[in-house]
Amino acid sequence: MMLSKGLKRKREEEREKEALAVDSWWLDPSLPAVAQAPPAVASSSLLDLSVLKLHHSLRQSEPDLRHLVLVVNTLRRIQASMAPEPTLPPVPSPPAAPCVADNLLASSDAALSASMASLLEDLSHIEGLSQAPQPLVDEGPPSGRPTGGSPPSLGALDLLGPATGCLLDDELEGLFEDIDTSMYDSELWAPASEGLKPGPEDGPGKEEALELDEAELDYLLDVLVGTQALERPPGPGR
Amino acid sequence: MKCFSRYLPYIFRPPNTILSSSCHTEADIISTVEFNHTGELLATGDKGGRVVIFQREQESKNQVHRRGEYNVYSTFQSHEPEFDYLKSLEIEEKINKIRWLPQQNAAYFLLSTNDKTVKLWKVSERDKRPEGYNLKDEEGRLRDPATITTLRVPVLRPMDLMVEATPRRVFANAHTYHINSISVNSDYETYMSADDLRINLWNFEITNQSFNIVDIKPANMEELTEVITAAEFHPHHCNSFVYSSSKGTIRLCDMRASALCDRHSKFFEEPEDPSNRSFFSEIISSISDVKFSHSGRYIMTRDYLTVKVWDLNMENRPIETYQVHDYLRSKLCSLYENDCIFDKFECVWNGSDSVIMTGSYNNFFRMFDRNTKRDVTLEASRENSKPRAILKPRKVCVGGKRRKDEISVDSLDFSKKILHTAWHPSENIIAVAATNNLYIFQDKVN
């Protein structure tokens, strides 16, 4: 659902060349500054860098929203350009990263809203908070207003939910039979429509699923644990 | 193209640190520069929350050469670091923006803001003090009323000039996200403050309430793909304002249309150039500054590689595009890695809207003459600046043979960035902030 929407793979050598072009430029900044045609497929190093930036951004006690949004959008573009390899086990990060990106994005604000909501009740008892709760008028009553993203406790499900179609193979799907994922089956991603390079067509291959082996699922679960850690409100100071 | 001479090598020195070109404290980094409406005053804000105001000296016949130097007029601590107990977050004291109010009496007023709080400061002079109170003696001690046998009228006596800055209003608790812009309305009664997702309208007299006029926060934060990056009121029409986004779009809004201006009156966006498309297209299209021309007919936007001028009457593309440092286009990957691609450069108009100026790296700044289409690259550095010297145009060599005076792209110092500049409202005097140094350049007049 995420990557493999029937994107045509480019000819092997062309892809390799372009991937190299990005990689070698990436590795060796002393190369002369030659204008390059934008590569159709991002190197995995560019993807890793973006994921790293995303995590770093989210780990700030108060993320720079502009930086975050730009990195997430760039990550989606990169991920969209990476064609799947049915024969090879795909890199675990591509499918996880955008889900992670979205969920982390949501959870950062959810945690914010959640902590605000709970502390609001004690507002009158806390001395020193002489400031009128003006911003809350803007926010709307936190309890009534839909918070950004799901509450932390559902984080795990949310991560797996939207990606059900691609993350789980037949064996594992049985584990989650009782979860109704119909609301998540809609197209979450529109990056393919941008078409970084004319050529790859967007097939309607919603059913096309990536196959993961168990090692990659373990990795995903580790990321989830990381997600949970992130959702805990940070202690005082940084 | 006018020649800029460095008439006065004014370099801003932080008062209590030893200044050397290679070492300075973080707090001294200048984060905003702004002339007032007459150009008599120049305000700077820094990362440490301080505001320093310079005043232009009156020209005197005796000292012809001291043609309107700027000297320090007032220094005050505008914002202090704060701690938000609800979120366990530190709020930076860095001054993001300063905007002057037009002068209406002897005092000067300016707005300064950090990430969360806007303050209205009054800067006034005191050169007289009252003497001869009845109930107090000269040291201020109360006199025993029983000892007073006569009454006198206190008189004002001259004293040494004192410039005091007092906070008159504090506009707090209205922004969840980081404030990036403030703009004074032409009605001089209201102003707006914009953060990543919302824009609020304030009345100067009312601090406990503000109106939300733009809100782009999605109900589900997962759907967030765009933030507000800058906002400004129209210079003459008090109902109009523009705001720019991280996707390279500008929206013009009319406050008469509805209370919440989520729907724009005009939408400015240039279609993407397919030949220049890359993974970084969106990041480099993110607008870092938007400024109305003095005439109110045009807006200027700054994105990572270009400055664009838009006609308010044409929404589908800018009327002019100027390349600031196109040689960086092939370096975007490295600039993404070191986060330089996220740097937010500002841009300014000159008084007649004929020249625009913006900063770059290596302490370079660029000027574009809209009429002659000529442009120049200048450098703000101590080595190149001697009193009354003329700034030499600089050139970046992009490949092939490098001439003697040119600098190659790979030698550029990306830590020396000029993000903030200001242009005097009517004269050719410019202020350029290079990290912790402030340079003021004047046009050479024959």
Side-chain angles (χ1 to χ4, degrees):
Chain A
M1 182 176 127
M2 232 133 317
L3 305 175
S4 48
K5 299 292 265 181
L7 285 175
K8 271 197 187 154
R9 245 191 325 131
K10 300 188 60 191
R11 278 173 299 152
E12 199 63 32
E13 38 161 334
E14 216 175 283
R15 245 184 86 239
E16 226 177 66
K17 223 192 282 174
E18 284 182 349
L20 261 180
V22 174
D23 274 351
S24 54
W25 167 254
W26 172 243
L27 291 170
D28 191 354
S30 65
L31 282 179
V34 179
Q36 298 171 16
V41 180
S43 66
S44 61
S45 56
L46 189 60
L47 176 82
D48 291 343
L49 172 68
S50 300
V51 174
L52 206 69
K53 278 190 183 300
L54 177 64
H55 278 272
H56 181 257
S57 192
L58 284 165
R59 285 206 164 94
Q60 307 291 319
S61 37
E62 207 174 6
D64 176 352
L65 219 55
R66 172 185 166 259
H67 186 272
L68 193 60
V69 160
L70 289 174
V71 169
V72 166
N73 291 349
T74 304
L75 196 51
R76 285 176 177 158
R77 278 203 194 201
I78 292 168
Q79 172 248 306
S81 75
M82 294 177 103
E85 308 246 20
T87 53
L88 302 167
V91 181
S93 32
C99 304
V100 172
D102 270 4
N103 202 49
L104 289 176
L105 195 66
S107 66
S108 66
D109 198 64
L112 226 66
S113 306
S115 60
M116 268 185 76
S118 61
L119 284 163
L120 269 178
E121 293 166 30
D122 305 331
L123 198 66
S124 54
H125 306 301
I126 297 172
E127 224 177 294
L129 288 178
S130 52
Q131 322 282 352
Q134 183 53 33
L136 311 169
V137 177
D138 272 352
E139 293 287 306
S143 49
R145 180 192 174 86
T147 55
S150 354
S153 57
L154 290 178
L157 293 176
D158 272 344
L159 186 67
L160 293 176
T164 303
C166 72
L167 285 180
L168 307 172
D169 61 19
D170 296 318
E171 294 171 9
L172 294 164
E173 222 169 76
L175 287 173
F176 300 94
E177 246 168 5
D178 56 326
I179 297 167
D180 174 22
T181 58
S182 56
M183 60 187 277
Y184 298 118
D185 284 346
S186 57
E187 180 64 66
L188 280 183
W189 309 96
S193 61
E194 290 190 50
L196 281 169
K197 192 165 156 72
E201 284 133 35
D202 255 329
K206 235 179 205 182
E207 311 324 311
E208 219 173 300
L210 286 176
E211 312 230 28
L212 295 179
D213 61 18
E214 293 201 27
E216 276 134 16
L217 195 63
D218 281 344
Y219 173 89
L220 277 170
L221 291 172
D222 284 343
V223 170
L224 276 175
V225 174
T227 308
Q228 297 295 346
L230 273 168
E231 282 167 354
R232 260 183 258 120
R238 293 190 200 234
Chain B
M1 188 71 221
K2 299 200 167 25
C3 304
F4 271 81
S5 74
R6 184 154 170 265
Y7 177 79
L8 176 71
Y10 201 99
I11 297 177
F12 170 55
R13 291 166 189 274
N16 45 12
T17 61
I18 299 167
L19 185 74
S20 76
S21 56
S22 55
C23 126
H24 58 83
T25 66
E26 275 273 301
D28 300 326
I29 295 173
I30 299 172
S31 49
T32 183
V33 190
E34 187 83 355
F35 279 101
N36 75 339
H37 293 260
T38 59
E40 184 204 349
L41 298 180
L42 174 68
T44 62
D46 67 20
K47 235 180 153 190
R50 282 169 306 193
V51 171
V52 181
I53 303 177
F54 299 85
Q55 186 187 43
R56 195 175 187 193
E57 257 188 31
Q58 298 300 324
E59 297 180 24
S60 73
K61 292 190 188 101
N62 304 339
Q63 299 179 311
V64 175
H65 292 303
R66 293 172 71 82
R67 213 169 28 103
E69 271 182 37
Y70 281 86
N71 298 314
V72 177
Y73 178 64
S74 172
T75 303
F76 57 93
Q77 188 73 35
S78 171
H79 287 71
E80 298 273 6
E82 278 173 51
F83 195 75
D84 181 335
Y85 293 95
L86 282 181
K87 300 182 195 172
S88 293
L89 291 173
E90 213 180 80
I91 300 171
E92 264 190 23
E93 66 275 30
K94 173 167 78 86
I95 308 293
N96 292 336
K97 285 277 160 32
I98 288 174
R99 289 289 182 263
W100 290 93
L101 270 69
Q103 199 176 359
Q104 292 173 309
N105 53 35
Y108 304 104
F109 287 88
L110 61 80
L111 285 175
S112 71
T113 187
N114 67 350
D115 283 340
K116 300 284 183 179
T117 304
V118 185
K119 294 187 185 179
L120 176 69
W121 287 89
K122 176 182 177 182
V123 182
S124 50
E125 293 180 9
R126 191 196 291 264
D127 62 355
K128 296 182 186 52
R129 66 156 183 256
E131 281 176 22
Y133 284 107
N134 292 293
L135 295 175
K136 288 188 291 190
D137 64 19
E138 294 311 315
E139 276 83 51
R141 290 186 296 246
L142 287 174
R143 291 170 70 189
D144 179 3
T147 63
I148 298 170
T149 52
T150 58
L151 286 178
R152 56 186 175 169
V153 178
V155 292
L156 289 174
R157 296 216 187 282
M159 58 178 259
D160 289 338
L161 179 68
M162 205 170 74
V163 181
E164 348 175 84
T166 44
R168 301 298 290 179
R169 304 270 188 278
V170 177
F171 305 92
N173 297 323
H175 285 280
T176 309
Y177 305 99
H178 291 176
I179 297 175
N180 52 55
S181 312
I182 46 175
S183 179
V184 180
N185 203 348
S186 52
D187 63 9
Y188 303 154
E189 285 183 2
T190 57
Y191 76 93
M192 69 162 151
S193 55
D195 66 28
D196 294 315
L197 298 179
R198 300 194 176 96
I199 302 180
N200 294 330
L201 181 71
W202 301 85
N203 182 301
F204 280 112
E205 301 303 318
I206 301 168
T207 57
N208 61 355
Q209 218 180 65
S210 74
F211 286 104
N212 177 242
I213 53 177
V214 174
D215 189 337
I216 65 168
K217 182 179 179 187
N220 189 349
M221 277 296 266
E222 279 179 6
E223 292 160 16
L224 182 67
T225 57
E226 195 174 11
V227 298
I228 297 170
T229 52
E232 196 181 48
F233 267 118
H234 191 283
H236 313 307
H237 304 310
C238 58
N239 55 287
S240 293
F241 65 92
V242 291
Y243 69 92
S244 59
S245 83
S246 55
K247 283 195 170 171
T249 66
I250 308 109
R251 289 169 175 81
L252 176 77
C253 299
D254 188 334
M255 294 195 292
R256 296 171 301 189
S258 68
L260 190 60
C261 298
D262 278 357
R263 273 201 281 161
H264 50 263
S265 304
K266 293 199 182 182
F267 182 77
F268 300 84
E269 187 180 28
E270 184 174 27
E272 197 182 359
D273 176 5
S275 64
N276 268 338
R277 220 184 255 156
S278 77
F279 293 111
F280 310 109
S281 290
E282 183 176 323
I283 300 181
I284 62 169
S285 75
S286 172
I287 293 175
S288 50
D289 195 14
V290 66
K291 292 264 168 53
F292 272 101
S293 64
H294 292 92
S295 62
R297 274 195 61 191
Y298 305 104
I299 44 177
M300 168 168 55
T301 58
R302 175 72 156 96
D303 52 55
Y304 190 62
L305 298 177
T306 70
V307 184
K308 296 183 172 144
V309 177
W310 305 73
D311 186 321
L312 278 186
N313 299 315
M314 187 159 78
E315 299 168 56
N316 59 350
R317 61 180 173 82
I319 56 170
E320 295 156 30
T321 300
Y322 301 95
Q323 303 294 333
V324 181
H325 36 218
D326 200 54
Y327 45 79
L328 296 182
R329 199 176 285 275
S330 52
K331 298 223 167 230
L332 293 179
C333 205
S334 308
L335 294 165
Y336 178 64
E337 193 223 356
N338 63 16
D339 271 346
C340 279
I341 206 175
F342 299 102
D343 286 338
K344 292 185 287 183
F345 293 93
E346 293 172 8
C347 53
V348 289
W349 299 87
N350 75 338
S352 58
D353 298 337
S354 58
V355 182
I356 56 184
M357 174 169 69
T358 188
S360 177
Y361 294 105
N362 209 73
N363 280 350
F364 287 170
F365 57 100
R366 304 261 284 137
M367 286 185 195
F368 303 92
D369 189 318
R370 296 177 61 215
N371 300 323
T372 65
K373 301 300 178 198
R374 297 226 297 257
D375 62 80
V376 70
T377 304
L378 301 171
E379 182 178 358
S381 84
R382 219 168 306 164
E383 291 82 40
N384 299 343
S385 302
K386 294 190 175 63
R388 285 183 277 287
I390 296 174
L391 287 182
K392 226 173 38 168
R394 303 300 310 249
K395 196 146 167 25
V396 176
C397 153
V398 288
K401 285 204 176 128
R402 185 179 74 88
R403 290 213 193 99
K404 199 180 131 193
D405 288 341
E406 291 180 356
I407 180 166
S408 78
V409 184
D410 301 304
S411 311
L412 293 175
D413 187 344
F414 288 92
S415 68
K416 294 188 184 167
K417 42 194 107 176
I418 293 184
L419 305 172
H420 314 287
T421 60
W423 205 307
H424 189 286
S426 52
E427 294 183 37
N428 282 332
I429 305 172
I430 56 174
V432 176
T435 320
N436 62 322
N437 291 318
L438 179 74
Y439 293 83
I440 300 177
F441 300 107
Q442 288 193 17
D443 184 22
K444 180 176 165 192
V445 170
N446 295 327

